[in-house]
């Protein structure tokens, strides 16, 4: 009988899914969900045939070189900036992600964060819990910004951006977007979205949401200059990757009320959040949870396992990434 393949499972998963995987593979899992450092990750990969990991584990050329048996790395995420794709190509190791299954859940959370930020939900709850309710006039704080009939600017018009655009129509928003390439006319119509250049989007939007992939080109794309172009009444939401925003510049803009507020699900140094952001009231902070419903996390893990086993069995994984 053929030997079972060895798989590194970088995070704990639902017990029934782990049990399923253990029927067909020898699994090294991470039951306490400790954060991996590069040295330990390299050592854990060294004797594996495959790895199922999350966006938090960075896989580089050095690790791939030290893992001669490795055939496939399956990311439990749609974003794959954690994988050095040229190195994967050079090492002839497959890489996969989990698109589609998280689109609607993530778009929902983009809206959640945008609405919480514009309507100052978390700040107002803290205010209530602190016992301030009863001491305010109807024209006093916490007053907030409208969503309906406002202008939404979506940066990155992939699957999630399009799902956000469709939701926005229900709020009678004017939907604009910027993307590397323009959508087809049909798709623009379906999304009710108008293409604008980046500067127009920055200047005209009441709410901006970042949903593009993180690449070396858009590192700190959102800095002082971009924040200065935004309306002082506008909000910025980031559900993409922390590194797209210069967090110190954002904290400064928020502190000086250059923009109304920000909603952040992702951070450059996550799970650490810089104190400059933690000190502010006009920012809603979330622990990278946009895809975190039970149903969607289960679907993501199942798809990642499917991709992994397909690759190990000599089939083309459904979500094989091109280098
Ligand atoms: C993941 C994500 O939860 O899909 C992505 O790109 O950012 C999230 O859905 C996160 O990367 C952990 O894998």
């Amino acid at each position: 009988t053929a030997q079972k393949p060895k798989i590194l499972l970088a995070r704990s998963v639902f017990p029934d899914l782990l049990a399923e995987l253990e029927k067909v593979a020898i699994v090294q899992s991470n039951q306490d969900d400790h954060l991996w450092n590069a040295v330990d990750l390299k050592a854990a990969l060294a004797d594996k045939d495959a790895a199922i990991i999350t966006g938090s584990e960075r896989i580089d050329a050095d690790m791939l070189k030290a893992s001669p048996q490795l055939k496939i790395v399956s990311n439990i995420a749609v974003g794959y900036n954690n994988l050095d794709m040229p190195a994967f190509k050079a090492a002839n190791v497959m890489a996969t992600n989990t698109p589609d299954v998280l689109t609607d859940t993530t778009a929902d959370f983009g809206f959640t964060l945008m609405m919480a930020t514009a309507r100052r939900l978390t700040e107002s709850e803290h205010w209530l819990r602190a016992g301030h309710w009863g001491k305010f006039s109807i024209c006093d704080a916490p007053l907030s910004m409208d969503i309906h009939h406002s202008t939404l600017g979506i940066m990155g018009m992939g699957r999630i951006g399009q799902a956000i655009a469709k939701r926005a129509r229900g709020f009678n928003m004017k939907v604009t977007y910027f993307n590397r390439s323009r959508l087809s006319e049909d798709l623009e119509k379906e999304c009710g979205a108008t293409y604008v250049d980046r500067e127009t989007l920055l200047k005209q939007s009441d709410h901006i949401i970042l949903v593009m992939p993180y690449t070396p080109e858009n590192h700190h794309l959102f800095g002082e200059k971009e924040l200065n172009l935004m309306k002082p009444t506008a909000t910025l939401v980031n559900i993409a990757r922390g590194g797209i925003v210069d967090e110190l510049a954002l904290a400064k803009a928020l502190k000086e009320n250059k923009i109304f507020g920000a909603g952040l699900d992702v951070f450059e140094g996550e799970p650490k959040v810089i104190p400059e952001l933690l000190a502010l009231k006009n920012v809603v902070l979330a622990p990278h949870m946009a895809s975190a419903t039970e149903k969607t996390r289960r679907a993501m893990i199942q798809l990642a396992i499917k991709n992994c086993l397909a690759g190990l069995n000599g089939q083309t994984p459904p979500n094989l990434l091109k280098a």
Side-chain angles (χ1 to χ4, degrees), residues 11 53-56 75-81 98 102 106 160 239-241 266 270 288-292 297 300:
R11 298 286 184 98
I53 64 164
T54 74
S56 305
N75 224 21
I76 313 174
V78 65
Y80 54 95
N81 55 292
T98 59
L102 48 64
T106 306
I160 299 168
I239 57 166
R241 286 292 179 266
V266 287
E270 62 188 51
H288 202 146
M289 60 189 280
S291 69
R297 280 287 161 84
M300 290 165 69

Side-chain angles (χ1 to χ4, degrees), residues 17-18 22 30 32 47 55 70 72 88 101 104 106 113 117 128 133 164 169 180 190 228 255 258 287 306:
L17 297 183
L18 176 60
E22 281 179 329
N30 172 9
D32 65 0
D47 66 336
L70 197 63
I72 180 163
F88 272 75
V101 292
D104 280 319
T106 306
L113 210 45
T117 304
L128 178 155
W133 199 9
I164 289 169
R169 287 190 312 190
R180 281 177 296 190
E190 199 185 313
N228 275 333
K255 195 173 176 193
K258 291 257 171 68
K306 191 174 169 188

Side-chain angles (χ1 to χ4, degrees), residues 55-71:
S56 305
E57 286 82 53
R58 289 200 53 82
I59 307 233
D60 59 24
D62 183 43
M63 292 174 190
L64 294 177
K65 271 189 206 126
S67 316
Q69 277 154 245
L70 197 63
K71 279 176 83 174

